[in-house]
Amino acid sequence: MQYTPAEQPVAGAHAPSGLTTRTKLLVVGLLAAVAFGYFGFVAFQSATAYYLTVDEVIERGPNGVPASLQVKGTLVPDTFSRAGADGEPTTMAVFVLEENGAQLDATYEGALPDLFFNPHSEIVLSGTYRADGVFDAERILVKCPSKYQSLEGDPPPDYAAPAA
């Protein structure tokens, strides 16, 4: 095929695309920023949960609490059970939490933390509050009172003050 001098292809020349390299980089950067922002928002939303006490949950009722929730209370003595419907042992724990006189039935599937049965421990459940008034815990955190808290009143008789 014969070309006239005006039609001769030039080595290394590209057909014009309408977008410059700078414009393409700006579009890619903008898309990346929007994607990271969206994924960060979704991760933050799924990681946040309201923190309420048992009495606040009971007061608000099943329709007044958010879907993702943390509830703080103490274990009511003699309410813990792992017996199934047929009396056989199971991994499903059923117990009652109490705070400020209000009580909340709760369930948890799995192993419990070591300090769960300590009468001085605060228990924080993460999960959902069902319409029937039972809290389904997905995670349990046990907060033990600190041994470093200041003493109230006079020190015990065997307390020796540090030498100055």
Side-chain angles (χ1 to χ4, degrees), residues 4 9 23 102 109 123 160:
T4 65
T23 306
E109 178 80 29
I123 299 172

Side-chain angles (χ1 to χ4, degrees), residues 37-49:
Y38 171 74
F39 289 129
F41 176 76
V42 169
F44 181 74
Q45 288 293 80
S46 65
T48 58

Side-chain angles (χ1 to χ4, degrees), residues 14-15 17 29 32 36 42 44 48 50-51 56 64 67 76 87 89 91 98 112 116 126-128 138 148 162:
H14 299 283
S17 65
F36 281 121
V42 169
F44 181 74
T48 58
Y50 283 91
Y51 186 86
E56 291 172 331
V76 175
T91 59
E98 187 267 336
L112 295 168
F116 185 80
S126 297
T128 56
E138 297 169 0
Y148 301 108

Side-chain angles (χ1 to χ4, degrees), residues 16-38:
S17 65
L19 293 177
T20 65
T21 303
R22 183 175 184 207
T23 306
K24 289 178 186 177
L25 286 175
L26 285 174
V27 169
V28 169
L30 181 64
L31 288 174
V34 168
F36 281 121
Y38 171 74

Side-chain angles (χ1 to χ4, degrees), residues 4-5 12-13 15 20 27 40 50 52 55 58 74 79 82 91 102 116 120 130 135 142 147 150 159 161 163:
T4 65
T20 65
V27 169
Y50 283 91
L52 301 172
D55 55 328
I58 298 298
T74 57
T79 62
R82 279 208 188 258
T91 59
F116 185 80
H120 302 291
R130 298 189 322 220
F135 190 86
V142 177
K147 63 182 178 181
S150 63
Y159 176 76

